Amino acid sequence: MPRFLIEFCHSSEYEGCVRALDAIMQYGSHIITNAEWGCEDGVHKGWLIADLESREEALQLVPPQYRTDTRIIQLRTWSRAEIEEMKKELES
């Protein structure tokens, strides 16, 4: 199953942080307990990593009012064998 990094933004004033946290908590309390936030360091974004079927499913985890500024990034890991194979392809 694909793994996605979901990055959602909100406004930088204190009220924006509170509203975003509340909206996400109301939308799905399981999301708020798994999200990481950068607000205390001046980066007004939240991040969540989830194993989901699609980008569309990932976007549905975010409250509608924050979706336009949300980035969905599919993640993957590379094995040593895959890297070696890619190197061989470059050399040929």
Side-chain angles (χ1 to χ4, degrees), residues 2-88:
R3 174 170 274 208
F4 295 95
L5 169 66
I6 305 162
E7 178 185 77
F8 37 93
C9 307
H10 62 278
S11 60
S12 61
E13 61 278 341
Y14 180 72
E15 182 180 337
C17 295
V18 174
R19 288 184 186 276
L21 291 168
D22 184 57
I24 289 175
M25 185 174 61
Q26 297 300 323
Y27 197 68
S29 60
H30 62 288
I31 299 168
I32 200 71
T33 59
N34 292 303
E36 302 285 341
W37 301 87
C39 304
E40 290 185 357
D41 208 24
V43 179
H44 295 278
K45 296 181 179 186
W47 297 274
L48 176 67
I49 295 177
D51 296 318
L52 302 162
E53 293 294 329
S54 67
R55 292 175 186 280
E56 293 74 25
E57 188 177 345
L59 191 59
Q60 294 304 312
L61 292 179
V62 179
Q65 65 267 38
Y66 296 100
R67 289 181 188 162
T68 57
D69 293 326
T70 295
R71 288 190 332 159
I72 308 295
I73 303 160
Q74 187 168 345
L75 303 174
R76 73 161 291 174
T77 58
W78 299 93
S79 70
R80 181 174 290 262
E82 289 173 313
I83 295 167
E84 291 300 325
E85 185 61 34
M86 290 186 307
K87 285 173 48 181
K88 286 179 188 174

